[in-house]
Amino acid sequence: IATGEPVVATYDLAEDSIWGLQIGCSGAVDIRIERLDENDATIAAWLAVLERGHLAVLVTPLSGVSGRMLVRSSGSIVGGLTDPATGREAAARARARLCEPEPRAGPESIGGAEVFFEISRPAPVLTIFGAGHDAVPLARQAWAMGLAVTVVDTREALLTADRFPKALLVSDHHSQWAETLRLPDRSFVIVMNHHIERDRESLRFGLCADAAYIGVLGPRVRYQKLLSGLAAEGFVPDPSMLSRVRNPVGLSLGAETPEEVAVSIVGEILALRRGFGGGFLSGTVKSLHRPEDDRRLLARS
């Protein structure tokens, strides 16, 4: 901080002589420490991106080159690296990360340089169709896991700030959703109205809006009844649309109570976002923090 030159400090949790905590873990962490210039246009743009929750990547060289650049989802760039060729390749890799269903931060080697890609992204959106008693713990747990929650129901008496203090509440009829309700790309939908007609319209809306995940509460036979009702009205989803539907929704936990069902659903959403299968961890020797393959399970065709 005194010199203005960035440094990387390494802290190893296995070194109890340093930490004195007897943690016994084998993990280590590298921390880059740098002094930021308040007049740096790239840093100012990055702070604005973080404040607004926009999708973007900050590229920071760790070695080999200097400079810094911000790559927005629109493709525009603020700042740059001292080596143009490295900058072009870093920008291309940043855009590739932005196209992933779940963009992740991390370092990469480009030629003789090492750069770090830091990600800013908006909170994933979970839209819950139905404001019944079982939607309350689901909305609460989803918000605690970092999702932006919207609850949709025509029963205004159920759509109260006391029941859903952190959620956006929408009371419009399904005939108005096209104008008033937006499901962002890569968003999540849960259909749990406990009403055949409303569930059918919610399922139709989620399929047509291209939501990445549509969880339908209830047994398989009820889901087939919803599809039969849509077919009778002339709407037959193609297999690619139905591939985004999860029914029965959630992980197999033997859940019974609304709180338990919420754990099951939120657990499934988290597993799919991160690219994991949601099985038991016991006996696992591979990394617990890396996806099971190089693809995200929510990757879009």
Side-chain angles (χ1 to χ4, degrees), residues 100-102 104 271-278 284 286-300:
E100 295 178 357
E102 184 74 8
R104 296 170 69 94
L272 291 174
R273 281 185 60 202
R274 300 288 169 81
F276 285 83
T284 299
K286 59 186 178 182
S287 171
L288 304 181
H289 306 287
R290 301 183 71 86
E292 295 173 359
D293 55 35
D294 292 333
R295 297 170 289 112
R296 297 291 180 270
L297 298 186
L298 284 178
R300 304 174 64 188

Side-chain angles (χ1 to χ4, degrees), residues 240-251:
S240 65
M241 298 173 74
L242 295 179
S243 67
R244 296 181 277 118
V245 178
R246 312 288 289 194
N247 171 263
V249 66
L251 301 178

